[in-house]
Amino acid sequence: VVLRWKCSSCVGSAAARFSQAMPSAVLPGVDVVAIPGLTLTEVFGNVATKDATLSAVHEKITEPSMSNPWRCPEFAEYILVVKGEAHVEHSAGTLVVKAGFGVSLPAGCRVKVNLPEPSELVAICLPAFSPQTEHREEGEPAPPTPAHATKTAPLLATAVDVVKAPTLTITEFFGNVASSDAKLSACVAKVDEACSEAWQQPTFAEWVLVLSGMLHLEHADGVTKVPAGSGVFLAPNERVKWVWPEACTYVPICMPAFTPDACRREPEEGSAKDADPETMARLQELHEN
């Protein structure tokens, strides 16, 4: 995937947008689209956080949507299909993306994304989505091909369970393991019951969307509680401890992409990933291979 951004400048821009007392304040999602059959909740982006570094949207589709227009965005897009499936039409055919798969759309890739059944997606755009840079082809006659258009095609990524612990499963859709992409990682993490993780101090920036349940982040200034439908931004080098008081599903987005070494995790007896010694060993092996 060709991305038109520079990691260091983007992360610096994002950090500057949020409070210097990291982690950021809890960021409530904003329903940027709410119509019968479709709800798009932006947790990060030009609307929700006034930050153009990236946008992250939780999409819920309850009715089939098969007549969406062609579009040729200036931004790159990563789509995680959590439930249902998406049909991505492009110049060479149609790519069917089922639950448990992701699709990346390079900047300038002309596509039409249709949804034949009730579905749940998470869409990440780099830089952040805006109507002006989406270039939807609506009306007659169709607008001319934009200058930024490319001959690229959508890329399918198979999600990989990178963490399989007794109470925690983390499924990577994009990143060093699932898509061999070191620029960005995006996962769906599912916590089955109340538990906690070890302290960590990553060198990467992290954007977190909580889809269901509750996340508590312990840090030097106290505890930040992030409920479902909200998000939180973690700047590089912020030392935090993740605690889940109940079952929880969340999406961590890391730039650059997550690696065990960059996470700088402090092993802790009884933590979610230390309950089974094989958990961290397998994660390390996946990244080495």
Side-chain angles (χ1 to χ4, degrees):
V1 181
V2 178
L3 302 180
R4 298 180 177 178
W5 56 281
K6 294 181 180 179
C7 179
S8 59
S9 60
C10 287
V11 170
S13 173
R17 294 290 303 178
F18 299 112
S19 167
Q20 294 303 305
M22 296 295 173
S24 73
V26 175
L27 308 165
V30 177
D31 289 343
V32 291
V33 174
I35 59 176
L38 174 65
T39 302
L40 305 183
T41 303
E42 183 180 281
V43 181
F44 301 98
N46 285 307
V47 175
T49 56
K50 311 300 182 187
D51 183 68
T53 304
L54 64 73
S55 57
V57 172
H58 185 202
E59 303 187 14
K60 293 182 179 179
I61 299 93
T62 57
E63 299 175 7
S65 178
M66 295 297 292
S67 59
N68 293 316
W70 287 91
R71 57 196 186 95
C72 186
E74 296 179 37
F75 47 78
E77 187 169 9
Y78 295 82
I79 301 174
L80 293 70
V81 180
V82 181
K83 297 178 182 177
E85 65 180 55
H87 292 183
V88 183
E89 295 183 38
H90 56 101
S91 60
T94 299
L95 185 64
V96 177
V97 189
K98 296 182 178 292
F101 289 81
V103 60
S104 58
L105 310 175
C109 182
R110 183 174 180 266
V111 294
K112 179 191 289 189
V113 181
N114 286 322
L115 302 156
E117 62 185 53
S119 303
E120 182 180 2
L121 316 175
V122 173
I124 304 161
C125 300
L126 294 172
F129 171 94
S130 76
Q132 293 75 23
T133 58
E134 184 187 21
H135 297 281
R136 290 165 65 97
E137 300 177 12
E138 296 181 304
E140 295 291 343
T145 302
H148 68 272
T150 63
K151 294 182 179 180
T152 53
L155 300 174
L156 187 69
T158 303
V160 178
D161 289 341
V162 291
V163 170
K164 286 283 290 182
T167 58
L168 171 66
T169 300
I170 301 179
T171 304
E172 183 179 281
F173 283 71
F174 302 100
N176 284 299
V177 175
S179 60
S180 299
D181 186 352
K183 301 178 187 70
L184 173 146
S185 60
C187 303
V188 174
K190 294 184 178 180
V191 179
D192 296 325
E193 60 186 52
C195 61
S196 64
E197 239 298 87
W199 285 91
Q200 61 187 47
Q201 192 173 9
T203 60
F204 47 77
E206 191 163 8
W207 292 255
V208 183
L209 294 74
V210 178
L211 306 186
S212 65
M214 174 74 75
L215 164 66
H216 291 182
L217 286 172
E218 297 182 10
H219 50 89
D221 297 326
V223 179
T224 297
K225 300 179 180 180
V226 192
S230 301
V232 65
F233 173 76
L234 300 171
N237 301 309
E238 172 69 12
R239 185 173 182 266
V240 293
K241 179 180 177 68
W242 298 58
V243 178
W244 302 279
E246 61 191 43
C248 179
T249 300
Y250 64 97
V251 175
I253 304 164
C254 304
M255 289 202 298
F258 172 94
T259 68
D261 291 341
C263 182
R264 297 195 296 187
R265 183 176 178 273
E266 304 166 20
E268 179 181 313
E269 185 176 355
S271 68
K273 292 178 190 170
D274 291 312
D276 181 353
E278 292 300 315
T279 299
M280 288 304 300
R282 181 174 182 273
L283 178 61
Q284 189 71 45
E285 181 180 357
L286 287 169
H287 279 265
E288 290 173 354
N289 294 337

